[in-house]
Amino acid sequence: MNAPVLSPASAALLESATRILRATTSEIVVSVGRRPDGSWPALRLMLDGQDFATIQPGAIVTGEAPVAELAIPLPRLPEGRLRSIAVADAATGTLAPGSGLRPIPTEAKLRALVIYPAGEVYDHDKVRWYRAPMEKLLSEYFNIGDMIVYDSTLKLLRYAHLEPMKIMAPTDADIARYASEFDFIFVRGSNFIHENMEWFRAVEVLEKVKLPVYAIGVGAQASRNRRIELPEASRRFWSIVAERSAAIGVRGAFSAETLRQNGIRNVEVVGCPSIFRTRNRDLQIRVPDQREIRKVAFSLRREADKSYTADPEAYLRNQKAALLKVDAQSEMVMSSHGEQEEKAFFLRDAAAKEKAVSEFVRTGWWSGPDDAAMRRIYEKQLFSFFDVEHYDAFARSQDLAVGYRVHGVLPAVAHGVPGVLVAYDTRSQELAETLKIPVVPEAALAEGGWRAVYREAALGSLVKSYAASYDRMRDFLDRNGIPHRM
């Protein structure tokens, strides 16, 4: 048994004086805080509901720190795996958060459940969009950025088997199987922290399935920095995740503050898995002289409702100006990330293209059906994709990635390509701040193109900070006991 003292930053993450940080079949790690009188509470350790040991932190911890970690070795049970571990205050009987969960086995091949997958998985950790008839692909919007985050998260995690957790219509048999056959649950990183998020029956399933639940890189969504009041169902969902893990991993400071304002306090800023998808801590991010840049990827985001931007008309006007300016300065390729009209051009469906042009003209994205510059870009310089592997190959071929899609820029950086992100909402702004990605106002790219926003000093900060950002994510996974491959 050991008892390292927590740093003040780590201690600040803890919502409760005593909580289970992580538990495996060989060890349990508990955070414990002093009582108001300065003494340490005695702790009861229970295995499968039976008292196993009483721990006296005062006999172990040295120094004056208010919070410490206890790493307690567990016995090998010849009759099989533990079903639950619990820690209680010996004086009051109060259970610590994280109690009652099934510990993760240290030697077995792990089975994982994912909440809200984004695509189908093949070759263990690769993601592509669901197979569908052409008319369905053309008629439905889907966010390829979600697919990239999902693929990136799978590349970080260690597991042998993966299944989506049913949250819309789970049966009793589904829930029983999850409880008996699986080892941990994770929430795919996305914009899940907002007023309109629908969790269906996820809370009911989680309350019955006593497994650790991890959130890695989730974020709040708003067009501007404002207070978000979560509905009761969302607060309950995030409370369960907070109880089942040492901390919830969020994209940035805005997301962390949003959860704290809604009563969820054990939160840690980790960024997004997509920038770490190559699992290369010593990544060499190129910062070429401007004169060497030829190929520039411009990531498009035509979505312009007020959940993303306060002024949709100005947003589209600035984006078109930026697109044309970058095109004039380079061998530009416009990457599309799920918009239906762009898919019509990429898939070369004549009827759908005609309908798309009508929509472009209606919204002012094209100046008219004979907008020659835009038609050339759409016919000859458009890239889209339905599996993340193809975006990796595309990104590696570029000299620079700029634009409006977080997941057009971050995955390119993961392959050593410099990137500059346009800030138009809280999500892009906070991720840029967390990961030191150069971020510029919409007008800057619109007025000066990529040459106006390409700053070697700003990219140098990204290069210098990448290893520290990588370590922060890996340390977060370690502290939570999340099985990983970083």
Side-chain angles (χ1 to χ4, degrees), residues 443-458:
L445 191 63
E447 293 169 5
W450 72 263
R451 289 178 184 167
V453 302
Y454 186 86
R455 296 287 182 267
E456 292 183 21

Side-chain angles (χ1 to χ4, degrees), residues 276 278-285 413-414 416 463 466-468 470-471 474:
F276 309 117
T278 54
R279 302 198 305 273
N280 180 6
R281 181 186 183 276
D282 301 317
L283 178 71
Q284 299 298 309
I285 301 171
V413 173
V463 172
Y466 183 83
Y470 188 98
D471 290 345
R474 184 181 59 194

Side-chain angles (χ1 to χ4, degrees), residues 214-352:
Y214 307 120
I216 308 165
V218 294
Q221 178 62 54
S223 61
R224 57 185 172 79
N225 196 322
R226 62 173 176 81
R227 187 181 181 94
I228 296 174
E229 294 288 346
L230 296 179
E232 179 57 35
S234 281
R235 286 199 300 271
R236 180 57 188 142
F237 177 85
W238 292 116
S239 294
I240 291 174
V241 179
E243 291 163 4
R244 304 279 183 93
S245 59
I248 294 173
V250 297
R251 289 173 167 175
F254 175 69
S255 297
E257 182 59 23
T258 296
L259 283 179
R260 291 184 183 119
Q261 289 172 344
N262 283 273
I264 313 300
R265 306 200 178 281
N266 55 318
V267 181
E268 187 171 346
V269 173
V270 297
C272 179
S274 59
I275 200 172
F276 309 117
R277 56 182 285 102
T278 54
R279 302 198 305 273
N280 180 6
R281 181 186 183 276
D282 301 317
L283 178 71
Q284 299 298 309
I285 301 171
R286 304 188 296 275
V287 186
D289 185 282
Q290 282 202 32
R291 294 167 295 183
E292 300 172 10
I293 294 175
R294 294 289 181 272
K295 298 181 178 181
V296 178
F298 183 101
S299 54
L300 176 76
R301 186 189 192 108
R302 274 193 311 102
E303 291 174 298
D305 64 67
K306 291 194 174 182
S307 66
Y308 285 95
T309 178
D311 188 343
E313 289 185 2
Y315 170 86
L316 278 180
R317 186 169 59 249
N318 279 324
Q319 188 166 185
K320 181 177 181 179
L323 176 68
L324 294 175
K325 195 76 174 180
V326 172
D327 178 51
Q329 295 173 337
S330 61
E331 299 171 19
M332 193 265 309
V333 175
M334 180 180 73
S335 64
S336 168
H337 296 247
E339 289 93 342
Q340 293 154 267
E341 290 79 15
E342 279 69 21
K343 283 187 293 186
F345 277 85
F346 182 69
L347 296 172
R348 301 192 178 280
D349 185 282

Side-chain angles (χ1 to χ4, degrees), residues 290-435:
Q290 282 202 32
R291 294 167 295 183
E292 300 172 10
I293 294 175
R294 294 289 181 272
K295 298 181 178 181
V296 178
F298 183 101
S299 54
L300 176 76
R301 186 189 192 108
R302 274 193 311 102
E303 291 174 298
D305 64 67
K306 291 194 174 182
S307 66
Y308 285 95
T309 178
D311 188 343
E313 289 185 2
Y315 170 86
L316 278 180
R317 186 169 59 249
N318 279 324
Q319 188 166 185
K320 181 177 181 179
L323 176 68
L324 294 175
K325 195 76 174 180
V326 172
D327 178 51
Q329 295 173 337
S330 61
E331 299 171 19
M332 193 265 309
V333 175
M334 180 180 73
S335 64
S336 168
H337 296 247
E339 289 93 342
Q340 293 154 267
E341 290 79 15
E342 279 69 21
K343 283 187 293 186
F345 277 85
F346 182 69
L347 296 172
R348 301 192 178 280
D349 185 282
K353 284 167 60 176
E354 185 177 342
K355 184 178 178 183
V357 171
S358 296
E359 177 66 11
F360 294 154
V361 174
R362 185 190 69 80
T363 58
W365 180 240
W366 284 24
S367 60
D370 56 351
D371 190 330
M374 294 298 280
R375 183 171 287 278
R376 170 178 48 80
I377 291 171
Y378 272 76
E379 294 283 8
K380 299 182 181 299
Q381 296 165 243
L382 171 65
F383 173 80
S384 192
F385 55 102
F386 297 95
D387 60 83
V388 183
E389 198 170 23
H390 276 87
Y391 191 79
D392 284 339
F394 166 72
R396 287 193 295 266
S397 72
Q398 301 298 300
D399 299 321
L400 173 66
V402 300
Y404 285 69
R405 289 280 184 177
V406 167
H407 297 108
V409 173
L410 297 191
V413 173
H415 290 284
V417 177
V420 179
L421 187 63
V422 174
Y424 60 89
D425 70 348
T426 55
R427 179 189 58 149
S428 53
Q429 185 71 45
E430 71 170 348
L431 265 175
E433 292 171 355
T434 300
L435 298 170

Side-chain angles (χ1 to χ4, degrees), residues 113-273:
L113 290 164
V114 55
I115 298 176
Y116 270 119
E120 62 182 24
V121 178
Y122 67 103
D123 291 351
H124 185 70
D125 62 359
K126 297 177 182 178
V127 179
R128 61 190 171 209
W129 199 247
Y130 304 102
R131 304 298 178 90
M134 183 67 74
E135 59 269 20
K136 186 175 177 68
L137 288 175
L138 288 167
S139 65
E140 293 185 355
Y141 170 82
F142 53 84
N143 191 329
I144 292 181
D146 286 341
M147 190 169 65
I148 291 176
V149 178
Y150 185 32
D151 181 284
S152 301
T153 304
L154 297 186
K155 285 175 169 48
L156 302 192
L157 297 180
R158 178 173 57 83
Y159 60 91
H161 176 77
L162 175 72
E163 281 186 32
M165 191 180 89
K166 296 178 182 179
I167 63 172
M168 295 186 72
T171 66
D172 290 342
D174 291 327
I175 294 172
R177 191 171 68 87
Y178 296 159
S180 63
E181 296 182 9
F182 286 81
D183 300 297
F184 67 93
I185 302 166
F186 70 95
V187 186
R188 172 183 57 78
S190 191
N191 308 323
F192 289 149
I193 307 171
H194 57 82
E195 294 97 335
N196 301 312
M197 186 63 203
E198 177 59 77
W199 293 108
F200 299 101
R201 293 175 59 190
V203 168
E204 174 190 340
V205 177
L206 292 180
E207 286 175 340
K208 295 177 180 177
V209 178
K210 304 298 185 181
L211 295 175
V213 185
Y214 307 120
I216 308 165
V218 294
Q221 178 62 54
S223 61
R224 57 185 172 79
N225 196 322
R226 62 173 176 81
R227 187 181 181 94
I228 296 174
E229 294 288 346
L230 296 179
E232 179 57 35
S234 281
R235 286 199 300 271
R236 180 57 188 142
F237 177 85
W238 292 116
S239 294
I240 291 174
V241 179
E243 291 163 4
R244 304 279 183 93
S245 59
I248 294 173
V250 297
R251 289 173 167 175
F254 175 69
S255 297
E257 182 59 23
T258 296
L259 283 179
R260 291 184 183 119
Q261 289 172 344
N262 283 273
I264 313 300
R265 306 200 178 281
N266 55 318
V267 181
E268 187 171 346
V269 173
V270 297
C272 179

